[in-house]
Amino acid sequence: MTILKTKDLKKCYGSGDTAVHALDGVNFEVESGEFVAIIGTSGSGKSTLLHMLGGLDRPTSGSVTVDGKNIFTLKDEELTIFRRRKIGFIFQNYNLVPVLNVYENIVLPIELDGNEPDKAYIEKIVNTLGLENKMNNLPNNLSGGQQQRVAIARALTAKPTIILADEPTGNLDSKTSLDVMGLLKVTSQQFRQTIVMITHNEEIAQMADRIIRIEDGKIASGDPK
Ligand code: ADP
Ligand code: MG
């Protein structure tokens, strides 16, 4: 089942002579449960694309369909709710709340949405990610790799339709990067979680099920489906 689809997606920053065509007609599809890497050099349009996929910013033209919904037909408030319910984010800088412990960080999105945490599901995720002894720690008592594992746990726990990850290993050394990527891959399989990850790192991209290449705001090669 197709869970994500972009159609002729374009994003232009600025206008006239100084206009930057950050996305110049992007078309691809992602199947439910797939782990896709989008790879491209700096400035190729990766972050812009991820912002569009997550409804964080609106395109100049074209569409993004998530779980059958053309998301940019939604008004801003509806889009905010859609994003909170359907999209999980993992960022390079982890984005954990420093005054909350690991467990509180993991359940925060669920509680903000007024739902009860599924304790058994969380325990499975936490054990898979090797965080079971860290639940009472504050984020600044953890290594970068541990903090990113918490961010992964937080994203998975909310059971989003899609997780979007922007250079998730960008702040980690190469060994820790591969460890964290290995765990991201294992959890995506174990919990049948759809993940779209952007990266500039070939070795990291190779761990995904499928690689899509972006160059100058266009899909360059690979198998966009
Ligand atoms: P990447 O994440 O692959 O490095 P970006 O999506 O950040 O690429 O940027 C793609 C292009 O769009 C670059 O030329 C960048 O300078 C430009 N760009 C990105 N964001 C903005 C913005 N807010 N205003 C103007 N230009 C932008
Ligand atoms: Mg970027």
Side-chain angles (χ1 to χ4, degrees):
M1 182 185 128
T2 300
I3 202 81
L4 171 69
K5 183 180 167 82
T6 69
K7 198 160 169 229
D8 211 18
L9 195 64
K10 296 187 181 179
K11 178 68 176 182
C12 182
Y13 293 109
S15 61
D17 287 350
T18 58
V20 177
H21 295 277
L23 297 181
D24 199 12
V26 169
N27 294 287
F28 69 92
E29 291 182 17
V30 174
E31 296 292 307
S32 181
E34 251 193 317
F35 179 8
V36 172
I38 298 177
I39 190 168
T41 55
S42 178
S44 57
K46 303 184 296 297
S47 294
T48 301
L49 176 57
L50 205 85
H51 288 157
M52 303 295 137
L53 299 181
L56 292 167
D57 193 8
R58 288 180 186 268
T60 306
S61 63
S63 67
V64 172
T65 305
V66 177
D67 206 7
K69 186 85 202 169
N70 180 345
I71 65 172
F72 295 112
T73 62
L74 298 172
K75 297 196 194 85
D76 283 352
E77 298 121 70
E78 294 169 329
L79 187 56
T80 301
I81 293 167
F82 185 87
R83 186 168 58 232
R84 203 166 65 209
R85 303 242 160 97
K86 300 273 190 178
I87 313 282
F89 290 95
I90 300 173
F91 295 105
Q92 182 170 344
N93 59 2
Y94 325 126
N95 276 23
L96 302 176
V97 181
V99 297
L100 299 181
N101 70 27
V102 166
Y103 179 78
E104 292 163 342
N105 265 285
I106 289 172
V107 298
L108 185 64
I110 298 177
E111 293 189 335
L112 285 177
D113 213 22
N115 293 319
E116 278 292 310
D118 178 344
K119 293 245 165 69
Y121 190 67
I122 293 172
E123 197 177 318
K124 258 191 228 157
I125 291 168
V126 161
N127 289 342
T128 304
L129 291 166
L131 292 167
E132 59 276 18
N133 299 321
K134 302 288 176 199
M135 301 312 275
N136 297 316
N137 286 51
L138 291 175
N140 62 12
N141 293 324
L142 301 177
S143 68
Q146 288 167 337
Q147 289 186 60
Q148 194 59 301
R149 284 189 267 148
V150 176
I152 292 169
R154 177 180 57 186
L156 287 165
T157 293
K159 300 182 184 172
T161 305
I162 304 171
I163 289 180
L164 300 175
D166 191 350
E167 301 273 2
T169 60
N171 285 343
L172 303 175
D173 63 65
S174 54
K175 181 184 178 304
T176 309
S177 293
L178 292 176
D179 290 349
V180 168
M181 279 305 300
L183 287 168
L184 190 59
K185 179 156 187 151
V186 165
T187 49
S188 74
Q189 290 168 342
Q190 186 174 347
F191 302 103
R192 293 187 185 78
Q193 177 65 60
T194 311
I195 298 181
V196 176
M197 170 185 75
I198 63 175
T199 182
H200 65 275
N201 182 315
E202 189 71 43
E203 197 180 5
I204 294 295
Q206 289 297 340
M207 295 185 75
D209 299 331
R210 180 159 63 100
I211 297 177
I212 296 173
R213 288 175 199 279
I214 182 168
E215 275 171 30
D216 295 330
K218 286 195 176 79
I219 302 299
S221 70
D223 174 18
K225 292 203 76 176

PDB file of all heavy atoms in Angstrom, residues 43 45-48 166-167 198, ligand 2:
ATOM      1  N   GLY A  43      22.751  21.336  -0.129  1.00  0.00           N
ATOM      2  CA  GLY A  43      22.097  22.282  -1.041  1.00  0.00           C
ATOM      3  C   GLY A  43      21.243  21.629  -2.113  1.00  0.00           C
ATOM      4  O   GLY A  43      20.630  22.316  -2.937  1.00  0.00           O
ATOM      5  N   GLY A  45      18.465  20.075  -1.742  1.00  0.00           N
ATOM      6  CA  GLY A  45      17.031  20.231  -1.487  1.00  0.00           C
ATOM      7  C   GLY A  45      16.461  19.237  -0.486  1.00  0.00           C
ATOM      8  O   GLY A  45      15.241  19.175  -0.294  1.00  0.00           O
ATOM      9  N   LYS A  46      17.333  18.502   0.200  1.00  0.00           N
ATOM     10  CA  LYS A  46      16.865  17.447   1.113  1.00  0.00           C
ATOM     11  C   LYS A  46      15.996  17.986   2.253  1.00  0.00           C
ATOM     12  O   LYS A  46      14.910  17.474   2.506  1.00  0.00           O
ATOM     13  CB  LYS A  46      18.063  16.693   1.730  1.00  0.00           C
ATOM     14  CG  LYS A  46      19.008  16.062   0.732  1.00  0.00           C
ATOM     15  CD  LYS A  46      20.094  15.267   1.429  1.00  0.00           C
ATOM     16  CE  LYS A  46      21.018  16.104   2.304  1.00  0.00           C
ATOM     17  NZ  LYS A  46      21.804  17.125   1.583  1.00  0.00           N
ATOM     18  N   SER A  47      16.513  19.014   2.951  1.00  0.00           N
ATOM     19  CA  SER A  47      15.752  19.530   4.097  1.00  0.00           C
ATOM     20  C   SER A  47      14.448  20.166   3.632  1.00  0.00           C
ATOM     21  O   SER A  47      13.397  19.991   4.278  1.00  0.00           O
ATOM     22  CB  SER A  47      16.583  20.545   4.895  1.00  0.00           C
ATOM     23  OG  SER A  47      17.680  19.899   5.499  1.00  0.00           O
ATOM     24  N   THR A  48      14.505  20.871   2.516  1.00  0.00           N
ATOM     25  CA  THR A  48      13.280  21.465   1.957  1.00  0.00           C
ATOM     26  C   THR A  48      12.254  20.370   1.684  1.00  0.00           C
ATOM     27  O   THR A  48      11.075  20.500   2.059  1.00  0.00           O
ATOM     28  CB  THR A  48      13.614  22.219   0.647  1.00  0.00           C
ATOM     29  OG1 THR A  48      14.584  23.229   0.934  1.00  0.00           O
ATOM     30  CG2 THR A  48      12.379  22.851   0.045  1.00  0.00           C
ATOM     31  N   ASP A 166      15.840  13.640   9.664  1.00  0.00           N
ATOM     32  CA  ASP A 166      16.723  14.579   8.953  1.00  0.00           C
ATOM     33  C   ASP A 166      18.144  14.416   9.467  1.00  0.00           C
ATOM     34  O   ASP A 166      18.446  14.852  10.571  1.00  0.00           O
ATOM     35  CB  ASP A 166      16.218  16.015   9.171  1.00  0.00           C
ATOM     36  CG  ASP A 166      16.925  17.016   8.262  1.00  0.00           C
ATOM     37  OD1 ASP A 166      17.918  16.643   7.599  1.00  0.00           O
ATOM     38  OD2 ASP A 166      16.479  18.171   8.215  1.00  0.00           O
ATOM     39  N   GLU A 167      18.997  13.750   8.696  1.00  0.00           N
ATOM     40  CA  GLU A 167      20.406  13.513   9.082  1.00  0.00           C
ATOM     41  C   GLU A 167      20.497  13.015  10.530  1.00  0.00           C
ATOM     42  O   GLU A 167      21.185  13.616  11.355  1.00  0.00           O
ATOM     43  CB  GLU A 167      21.219  14.814   8.936  1.00  0.00           C
ATOM     44  CG  GLU A 167      21.230  15.404   7.547  1.00  0.00           C
ATOM     45  CD  GLU A 167      22.321  14.840   6.644  1.00  0.00           C
ATOM     46  OE1 GLU A 167      23.070  13.942   7.088  1.00  0.00           O
ATOM     47  OE2 GLU A 167      22.405  15.285   5.492  1.00  0.00           O
ATOM     48  N   ILE A 198      16.659  11.416   5.428  1.00  0.00           N
ATOM     49  CA  ILE A 198      17.558  12.095   4.504  1.00  0.00           C
ATOM     50  C   ILE A 198      18.972  12.102   5.070  1.00  0.00           C
ATOM     51  O   ILE A 198      19.174  12.149   6.282  1.00  0.00           O
ATOM     52  CB  ILE A 198      17.088  13.512   4.127  1.00  0.00           C
ATOM     53  CG1 ILE A 198      17.056  14.422   5.318  1.00  0.00           C
ATOM     54  CG2 ILE A 198      15.753  13.466   3.437  1.00  0.00           C
ATOM     55  CD1 ILE A 198      16.718  15.827   4.926  1.00  0.00           C
TER      56      ILE A 198
HETATM   57 MG    MG B   2      19.760  19.931   5.057  1.00  0.00          MG
END
